[in-house]
Amino acid sequence: MASKTATKDVITLKGSAAIVSEFFGYAANSILYNRGVYPEECFVKVKKYGLPMLLIEDDAVKAFLACLTSQISEWLESGKLQRVVLVIMSKASSEVLERWNFNIETDNEVVEKGVSRAKSDKEIMREIQAIMRQIASSITYLPCLDEPCKGKENASLSLSLSLSLFMCCPFVSGVFDVLAYTDTDLEIPVTWMESDAKLILNPQMVKLHSFDTKIHKVDTLVSYKNDEWDEQ
């Protein structure tokens, strides 16, 4: 009698880097949509990870995110990327309102020796689905971003980087910055610059799900500004 055997998919360093960088692109789009950084009409609906997802149609922001995910993939393959943070800031004061943290643990043996790992693609997708669902429901556990965020319509994009390196993207109602925490011996690309950590004073934090390719593990956490009324 034949028996069923659970199959695992071979995961290479390059393949894992592609999975994680693509995840960040979709996660960033989802955050920008669900946190109201751009209006609904700026997005188009697609299907990804077995879920309806929204991608921004603005050409400048699309180019920005494409450049970002390409660089993230390169750093993941080199094993030099430790964390990526998407920051939402106030227009009036430049105060940081939210920090979406994606902490990355890398299997150094894979980087150093070129070995592969095994994990089902379906299992990885289920883990990513759980994170995307939490981002989509963020309106239920995060405060409304009532105050305008930083930026000007039709402002040009700039990129930056963190040891803390940083990239910033101005948009119609606000700005989001992207920080990349890297190894200190990294050569800084010309489109990035060193940055402060853009921290929030006495933040509230919500830990989200994680996913693991067996080469890169991504832990997700969002920290946000305390509402003064809630503290009284």
Side-chain angles (χ1 to χ4, degrees):
M1 180 175 170
S3 60
K4 281 189 176 180
T5 304
T7 60
K8 298 286 185 180
D9 296 298
V10 174
I11 307 291
T12 64
L13 177 59
K14 188 178 184 67
S16 178
I19 291 169
V20 175
S21 58
E22 182 180 56
F23 158 79
F24 184 77
Y26 279 92
N29 272 277
S30 187
I31 292 166
L32 296 179
Y33 173 78
N34 286 288
R35 300 307 293 139
V37 172
Y38 281 89
E40 185 176 355
E41 58 268 23
C42 291
F43 293 83
V44 61
K45 187 177 288 188
V46 299
K47 188 170 184 181
K48 183 67 177 178
Y49 307 121
L51 298 170
M53 302 291 296
L54 288 136
L55 296 179
I56 194 156
E57 292 193 290
D58 182 273
D59 288 339
V61 181
K62 283 165 63 176
F64 174 89
L65 291 174
C67 178
L68 172 65
T69 54
S70 176
Q71 185 62 76
I72 285 174
S73 183
E74 181 181 325
W75 286 333
L76 287 167
E77 285 190 56
S78 68
K80 293 184 179 294
L81 184 61
Q82 301 154 12
R83 189 191 318 168
V84 176
V85 183
L86 189 150
V87 180
I88 299 175
M89 301 169 66
S90 162
K91 178 179 182 178
S93 64
S94 298
E95 181 181 17
V96 176
L97 304 175
E98 291 179 5
R99 297 177 89 253
W100 291 78
N101 296 267
F102 300 88
N103 295 317
I104 300 160
E105 294 180 19
T106 302
D107 184 334
N108 289 322
E109 183 183 14
V110 175
V111 177
E112 294 166 4
K113 299 182 180 180
V115 297
S116 58
R117 297 287 185 242
K119 184 170 182 175
S120 164
D121 285 344
K122 289 183 178 180
E123 188 178 354
I124 295 171
M125 186 176 74
R126 283 195 297 269
E127 293 173 358
I128 292 175
Q129 280 178 338
I131 299 173
M132 293 303 185
R133 287 191 175 107
Q134 286 181 311
I135 294 173
S137 64
S138 59
I139 192 172
T140 65
Y141 57 85
L142 293 178
C144 292
L145 296 177
D146 291 328
E147 65 174 293
C149 299
K150 181 182 176 185
K152 294 193 257 186
E153 188 169 1
N154 300 322
S156 61
L157 297 177
S158 63
L159 303 180
S160 29
L161 170 114
S162 189
L163 298 329
S164 216
L165 299 169
F166 124 91
M167 284 173 112
C168 88
C169 180
F171 49 83
V172 174
S173 62
V175 77
F176 65 94
D177 291 350
V178 177
L179 307 178
Y181 290 72
T182 65
D183 290 358
T184 55
D185 61 349
L186 186 77
E187 183 177 347
I188 300 176
V190 293
T191 50
W192 291 73
M193 65 183 72
E194 290 191 49
S195 167
D196 65 90
K198 302 187 184 297
L199 298 175
I200 299 171
L201 183 64
N202 300 320
Q204 292 282 356
M205 298 184 186
V206 178
K207 191 178 188 315
L208 307 185
H209 289 297
S210 62
F211 80 93
D212 190 353
T213 68
K214 295 299 184 183
I215 295 176
H216 298 105
K217 182 182 179 184
V218 180
D219 291 311
T220 311
L221 179 146
V222 57
S223 56
Y224 59 94
K225 178 177 174 280
N226 251 328
D227 190 289
E228 291 180 1
W229 184 86
D230 288 339
E231 294 178 337
Q232 293 177 356

